[in-house]
Amino acid sequence: MARISLTPPRTLLNRFGAWYSHRTYGKVLEPGLAYGHNARVLFTYVRLEQRVAKWSALDAGLKQLAVMAAAARINCSWCMDFGYWEGQEKGLDAEKAGKVPVWRDTPEAFTELELLVMEYAEAMTETAPTVTDELAAGLIARLGEAGFVELTAMVALENLRSRVNSAFGLTSQGFKESCEVPARR
């Protein structure tokens, strides 16, 4: 159960945010409802997400795997739920997305670069971070400096998202179920 009311004041900003969220995602995102109790924080956060969505130095699939690996490490069920849905929207293989929380047990499901990206996301997410010079150098060699900077910023942003959502007490909102393909008979 959420630790903060998911019924923010009915301001113009919150009403517009709810309309946009429902139109874009099929439901009103609970983090937006929680942030809606502070208009400046909500507005700043939305602007940040809008700008981040325009980044393009890193492959979208790698970015999604990094985000999901960080969310899984923090154990944010809301972020994993939404990340799975978002991955499907961006073309990430459903089976691969489902294995992110246990990627170390199923390395055969991922490429060498994907494994490095998830290792980096986890290392960055540790308190204190455990990123090694070798890991960073390997990623810079494969992604370039611009891609490495974007990867690092994406993992940091997911740490913000996951830690805020976990602190708010948000849990799965049912996105994963809405994007699964029914089993064939």
Side-chain angles (χ1 to χ4, degrees), residues 6-167:
L6 298 179
T7 310
R10 291 200 38 84
T11 65
L12 181 60
L13 176 64
N14 286 335
R15 289 192 324 262
F16 175 76
W19 170 83
Y20 178 82
S21 178
H22 193 271
R23 181 173 170 259
T24 305
Y25 306 108
K27 43 182 99 175
V28 179
L29 302 182
E30 290 176 353
L33 295 172
Y35 277 122
H37 291 283
N38 185 316
R40 285 185 178 194
V41 173
L42 173 62
F43 186 75
T44 301
Y45 178 72
V46 168
R47 297 277 312 251
L48 171 65
E49 289 287 359
Q50 288 173 332
R51 290 191 167 131
V52 168
K54 295 178 183 177
W55 294 351
S56 61
L58 182 64
D59 173 78
L62 292 175
K63 204 179 302 191
Q64 193 63 32
L65 289 173
V67 163
M68 291 181 73
R73 185 70 186 105
I74 292 170
N75 201 27
C76 177
S77 65
W78 194 95
C79 298
M80 288 303 297
D81 178 44
F82 185 75
Y84 184 91
W85 176 87
E86 189 175 40
Q88 302 311 288
E89 292 292 307
K90 295 179 179 179
L92 183 63
D93 176 71
E95 187 174 334
K96 187 175 278 194
K99 291 182 180 181
V100 170
V102 293
W103 67 268
R104 289 182 187 277
D105 299 331
T106 58
E108 66 282 350
F110 302 96
T111 67
E112 183 181 329
L113 180 56
E114 290 169 340
L115 292 169
L116 280 173
V117 164
M118 290 185 293
E119 180 181 355
Y120 182 74
E122 279 192 0
M124 231 186 109
T125 301
E126 292 295 329
T127 305
T130 59
V131 175
T132 64
D133 292 342
E134 295 78 22
L135 180 55
L139 284 165
I140 291 169
R142 309 260 323 249
L143 301 174
E145 290 180 337
F148 179 73
V149 168
E150 190 167 313
L151 172 63
T152 302
M154 283 305 303
V155 173
L157 176 58
E158 185 54 37
N159 270 262
L160 168 72
R161 293 172 183 145
S162 291
R163 292 177 189 280
V164 166
N165 291 341
S166 291

Side-chain angles (χ1 to χ4, degrees), residues 165-182:
N165 291 341
S166 291
F168 284 160
L170 303 180
T171 58
S172 173
Q173 199 174 335
F175 282 97
K176 185 174 187 276
E177 292 80 14
S178 67
C179 63
E180 292 201 63
V181 177

